[in-house]
Amino acid sequence: MSDTFERETLGFQTEVKQLLQLMIRSLYSNKEIFLRELISNASDAADKLRFEALASPELLEDDPDLRINITFNAKDKTLAVADNGIGMSRDELIANLGTIARSGTAEFLEKMSGDEKHDASLIGQFGVGFYSAFIVADKVEVETRRAGLTADQGVRWTSAGEGEFTVESAEIENRGTTVTLHLKDSETEFLESFRLESLIRKYSDHIGFSVLLKNAEEDKEEAKTVNSATALWTRSRSDISDDEYKEFYKYLSHDFVDPLGWSHNRVEGKREYVSLLFIPGTAPFDLWNREAPKGLKLYVQRVFIMDDAENFLPLYLRFIKGVVDSADLPLNVSREILQHSPHLDAMRSALTRRALDMLRGMAKDSADNYAKFWQECGQTLKEGVVEDQENRDKLMSLLRFTTTHSESDKQDQSLQDYLSRAVDGQDKIYYLLSDSLATAKSSPHLEQLQAKGLEVLLLHDRIDPWMVDHFGEFEGKSFQDVGRGQLALPEGDGEMTQEAMNDENKPLLKKIKRILKDRVEAVNVSQRLVDSPACVVTTEQDLTPQLRRMLEASGQQLPESKPILEINIEHPLVTRLSAETNDKRFGDLSNIVLDHALLAEGAQLENPADYVQRMNRYLLDIEAG
Ligand code: ADP
């Protein structure tokens, strides 16, 4: 049955239109990458056919030698990239080259600013693709026939990259896809054999298929094989240059920013596999979309099996790109089989270790690169502290923080750095949780610690309240939340205990507690404060206020809990409170002291109008005497 159809003109999805304009504008200085993208797609198509042919060998027809042919014609100003891979049906063609199926694309495009440099780096996170052809071409033609369909079921797609494309039936003899670029007048450099040859070698030397180049005007000339056609990861490490690794990463990830590091390993013995893992230079745009495809590219004995094989690395390492090529897994391995494979667990923990070692090596040898990495993807390692008990120590030493010692707002201090500055007798690592760095930096909770020269980690990322619950110990030191419970600081000479100080001020504490009984659990004399009159702290058993606020914002009902109010007995405002004989003023001032302590900690007052009234009343009252 033949299912030819009329020529149809269709509109690109809005996102495609935006992406096209953006690419042309912001990637012009990197324009030659279009060739890498087309070669990458062609090689993927060959990989996919080889995989499908494992179950259906007839798909290979009488043409089993998978390869990529690149032809240029200076007279017609055309450059064609042809593969004999899987090809596309009409519906696949319309879906693949008319829409962008990735979720989050619209939000991604909204972030574009119009500034070339900024946008170019964002596109790096998104991954450029087929549409980059329009950087150099004013018309692109795709002719394709899916493996298994007949010649008259071929399809031709044409577009000038301006909002619409046409599709029509076409008689296509050869299986696979040919992408023909009608180059803009300014792009004749891509019609020079020497230039093309060096570009193609750069972009394809590491893929496992031959790439041939031919000048269409020279009838007699044989197509010339340009690349070495050996998959990069199968070669020995010592034969591969840094540039080759970088190119391979870009080919794999569609990124055009260099990776920050890589780790290439061959495992032999009980299990045999090769892995090549990369740390990207920019976080992928959908890093925070937990549904987005992620994982390694899986090969079995050099045959491509699947993209985004998620099971080889834990979710918190989802920023890692790479390849794993197993000698033991069956060629017909599916995602389901993979999940239950006895090989998987061992490979997963070995690859996780490798990835963490690679990060550790980078932190040690190239602090600048590690800082870049931390800024882009560091937050995901915090998920690891929560999720991966086994590697917790390694992960903790990879964390970076802003501390009271930091000179900038950057998260640039490690726990090792922190401990190297610990004071004599300090057996704790102190941290403060807060909703923002600004609130943290001016928190009253820090005062006494800073006066004693004790450094505090300032934690203000969304995941931090969860992470701290999994901190355990680090190098034998436990962690102490400076906003919670009793604060045990290294004892100074002649300092009094909390109990003794409370005892000394019992009448005042009792009087305040009576006023604030519905709002606080207890009132204590504080050992944390120097400059502020009061602060609120959480009991050991309670949720931190940050976690409580987040859970409440997500709609959870939580049992009511009251903070402890701590007062600075030496502060003039507290002295005034203590000397206050007018009950009404005492009541107002006690409430105001608590309100201010809550505000300083980033909380919202339950009843702001009450506060304002109290404050006004109090101010007028003291003025009146
Ligand atoms: P990506 O390759 O990142 O998925 P592209 O925009 O480059 O994005 O391509 C979109 C899709 O079009 C590909 O995922 C693939 O399904 C299809 N495609 C592109 N080029 C080819 C080709 N030469 N052969 C078969 N399918 C292709």
Side-chain angles (χ1 to χ4, degrees):
M1 187 194 77
S2 126
D3 47 4
T4 56
F5 55 93
E6 295 290 312
R7 182 184 168 96
E8 264 184 274
T9 300
L10 299 167
F12 282 121
Q13 183 195 22
T14 322
E15 282 90 333
V16 176
K17 270 188 272 179
Q18 287 172 308
L19 189 71
L20 275 169
Q21 286 166 0
L22 204 77
M23 271 204 185
I24 296 168
R25 201 178 54 224
S26 50
L27 290 186
Y28 194 72
S29 51
N30 275 301
K31 59 187 172 181
E32 66 277 3
I33 56 166
F34 80 88
L35 201 52
R36 181 189 78 203
E37 295 303 306
L38 297 182
I39 292 173
S40 160
N41 283 346
S43 157
D44 286 350
D47 266 340
K48 283 181 199 157
L49 176 60
R50 193 159 59 177
F51 175 66
E52 285 196 17
L54 293 172
S56 320
E58 71 283 359
L59 290 178
L60 291 170
E61 302 167 19
D62 54 1
D63 183 18
D65 174 25
L66 299 174
R67 65 200 174 276
I68 300 166
N69 281 295
I70 301 184
T71 317
F72 62 100
N73 184 326
K75 194 163 122 277
D76 300 347
K77 289 201 271 208
T78 58
L79 176 66
V81 178
D83 64 70
N84 58 350
I86 191 73
M88 285 175 272
S89 67
R90 173 182 180 273
D91 291 347
E92 285 168 331
L93 184 60
I94 292 174
N96 290 336
L97 304 187
T99 61
I100 302 173
R102 282 192 280 169
S103 67
T105 305
E107 291 86 328
F108 163 78
L109 287 164
E110 267 170 30
K111 286 198 227 139
M112 297 296 169
S113 63
D115 167 47
E116 252 171 58
K117 245 186 148 168
H118 172 257
D119 290 354
S121 82
L122 279 181
I123 293 187
Q125 299 171 21
F126 188 78
V128 292
F130 167 80
Y131 301 111
S132 61
F134 288 100
I135 306 175
V136 295
D138 47 24
K139 180 175 153 196
V140 178
E141 212 172 41
V142 180
E143 293 189 316
T144 183
R145 166 162 79 79
R146 201 183 199 288
L149 298 183
T150 52
D152 59 354
Q153 290 173 310
V155 206
R156 179 181 303 119
W157 177 106
T158 319
S159 176
E162 282 169 353
E164 46 184 45
F165 60 94
T166 61
V167 277
E168 63 194 311
S169 288
E171 181 82 17
I172 294 178
E173 210 51 50
N174 297 322
R175 170 199 72 221
T177 303
T178 303
V179 179
T180 306
L181 311 190
H182 296 264
L183 294 171
K184 296 177 183 169
D185 288 340
S186 52
E187 308 305 333
T188 47
E189 63 179 288
F190 300 111
L191 297 168
E192 290 162 20
S193 144
F194 184 73
R195 168 93 167 121
L196 277 173
E197 203 176 314
S198 78
L199 275 178
I200 296 169
R201 185 166 308 112
K202 172 167 159 196
Y203 291 143
S204 71
D205 223 20
H206 45 70
I207 63 176
F209 303 102
S210 303
V211 180
L212 297 96
L213 179 66
K214 182 169 164 38
N215 182 346
E217 289 178 285
E218 308 274 346
D219 271 350
K220 287 186 217 87
E221 189 189 273
E222 284 270 301
K224 176 175 173 190
T225 303
V226 179
N227 66 341
S228 58
T230 320
L232 178 110
W233 66 90
T234 63
R235 291 161 53 193
S236 118
R237 256 192 326 219
S238 54
D239 292 344
I240 307 175
S241 70
D242 284 1
D243 280 344
E244 285 179 293
Y245 277 118
K246 288 179 190 168
E247 276 312 323
F248 183 72
Y249 162 77
K250 291 177 186 171
Y251 154 86
L252 195 71
S253 63
H254 301 269
D255 195 350
F256 66 93
V257 179
D258 282 345
L260 292 174
W262 54 86
S263 169
H264 182 190
N265 295 282
R266 181 180 304 277
V267 176
E268 273 156 355
K270 206 154 111 224
R271 274 176 208 87
E272 279 184 35
Y273 62 91
V274 178
S275 64
L276 174 51
L277 308 180
F278 289 96
I279 303 171
T282 48
F285 85 105
D286 49 8
L287 185 65
W288 300 107
N289 173 2
R290 286 173 79 98
E291 310 299 313
K294 58 194 87 51
L296 302 177
K297 205 164 174 155
L298 174 65
Y299 288 77
V300 170
Q301 294 162 40
R302 297 178 200 187
V303 177
F304 165 78
I305 305 293
M306 64 178 88
D307 279 314
D308 313 313
E310 334 187 274
N311 301 310
F312 291 99
L313 286 172
L315 189 59
Y316 72 87
L317 293 176
R318 60 188 173 275
F319 54 87
I320 292 202
K321 299 265 189 272
V323 170
V324 51
D325 188 344
S326 157
D328 313 307
L329 288 166
L331 276 164
N332 64 355
V333 67
S334 63
R335 285 184 201 269
E336 290 68 40
I337 297 177
L338 197 57
Q339 261 173 16
H340 302 114
S341 161
H343 296 291
L344 190 75
D345 282 348
M347 284 175 80
R348 180 184 163 102
S349 51
L351 289 168
T352 304
R353 232 175 304 127
R354 284 237 189 279
L356 296 179
D357 286 347
M358 164 166 62
L359 289 168
R360 190 163 56 178
M362 193 203 294
K364 192 161 146 273
D365 302 333
S366 168
D368 283 355
N369 275 357
Y370 193 75
K372 267 189 221 152
F373 157 75
W374 182 262
Q375 198 184 343
E376 291 289 323
C377 307
Q379 298 299 302
T380 56
L381 295 188
K382 295 185 170 182
E383 295 171 24
V385 173
V386 177
E387 290 164 11
D388 189 354
Q389 282 278 332
E390 200 183 314
N391 290 300
R392 201 176 61 199
D393 288 350
K394 271 191 189 166
L395 281 159
M396 300 234 327
S397 60
L398 291 170
L399 300 178
R400 293 295 179 269
F401 304 92
T402 315
T403 79
T404 46
H405 183 88
S406 298
E407 275 164 20
S408 72
D409 288 352
K410 286 212 180 94
Q411 299 187 345
D412 58 0
Q413 303 295 318
S414 67
L415 289 174
Q416 296 87 322
D417 296 334
Y418 177 99
L419 286 181
S420 71
R421 295 186 287 262
V423 304
D424 278 351
Q426 179 181 348
D427 60 351
K428 296 233 157 44
I429 299 174
Y430 298 99
Y431 66 86
L432 173 73
L433 284 167
S434 176
D435 297 329
S436 73
L437 185 59
T439 316
K441 284 207 286 196
S442 51
S443 167
H445 292 134
L446 298 175
E447 293 172 2
Q448 190 59 251
L449 288 118
Q450 283 192 293
K452 287 182 184 276
L454 293 166
E455 185 173 350
V456 181
L457 310 175
L458 304 176
L459 304 178
H460 54 92
D461 288 326
R462 273 185 72 81
I463 190 175
D464 290 343
W466 275 280
M467 177 178 68
V468 296
D469 275 347
H470 297 79
F471 263 167
E473 289 198 339
F474 184 75
E475 297 191 356
K477 302 257 193 287
S478 59
F479 287 80
Q480 161 98 50
D481 179 348
V482 304
R484 184 193 276 274
Q486 284 203 11
L487 189 59
L489 300 181
E491 294 284 327
D493 289 339
E495 278 183 13
M496 291 170 76
T497 63
Q498 166 102 67
E499 284 71 24
M501 294 206 300
N502 275 0
D503 273 353
E504 245 179 30
N505 297 281
K506 223 175 192 164
L508 176 64
L509 298 180
K510 263 184 129 166
K511 203 169 160 198
I512 302 176
K513 174 74 202 295
R514 237 189 346 262
I515 302 282
L516 300 177
K517 62 181 182 311
D518 295 335
R519 302 184 65 195
V520 301
E521 189 62 45
V523 184
N524 289 335
V525 173
S526 185
Q527 292 179 299
R528 288 169 231 257
L529 300 171
V530 176
D531 298 322
S532 301
C535 66
V536 283
V537 300
T538 322
T539 61
E540 292 291 355
Q541 300 74 32
D542 250 337
L543 291 176
T544 62
Q546 291 72 30
L547 195 52
R548 172 172 282 275
R549 284 198 279 278
M550 266 194 260
L551 293 173
E552 280 171 350
S554 72
Q556 291 205 38
Q557 294 285 339
L558 299 169
E560 209 199 320
S561 94
K562 293 185 276 190
I564 295 169
L565 176 68
E566 289 195 355
I567 54 168
N568 177 357
I569 210 70
E570 312 209 320
H571 195 278
L573 212 51
V574 176
T575 318
R576 177 185 293 182
L577 188 64
S578 166
E580 183 59 70
T581 49
N582 176 318
D583 282 352
K584 201 150 150 281
R585 276 205 296 262
F586 185 90
D588 278 346
L589 188 53
S590 302
N591 271 293
I592 290 168
V593 164
L594 171 62
D595 290 335
H596 285 177
L598 287 166
L599 288 172
E601 180 260 335
Q604 291 200 335
L605 297 180
E606 224 165 85
N607 193 337
D610 262 4
Y611 161 74
V612 173
Q613 274 176 16
R614 262 196 299 271
M615 192 70 193
N616 291 343
R617 196 164 56 214
Y618 185 75
L619 289 173
L620 290 172
D621 219 27
I622 46 169
E623 231 169 75

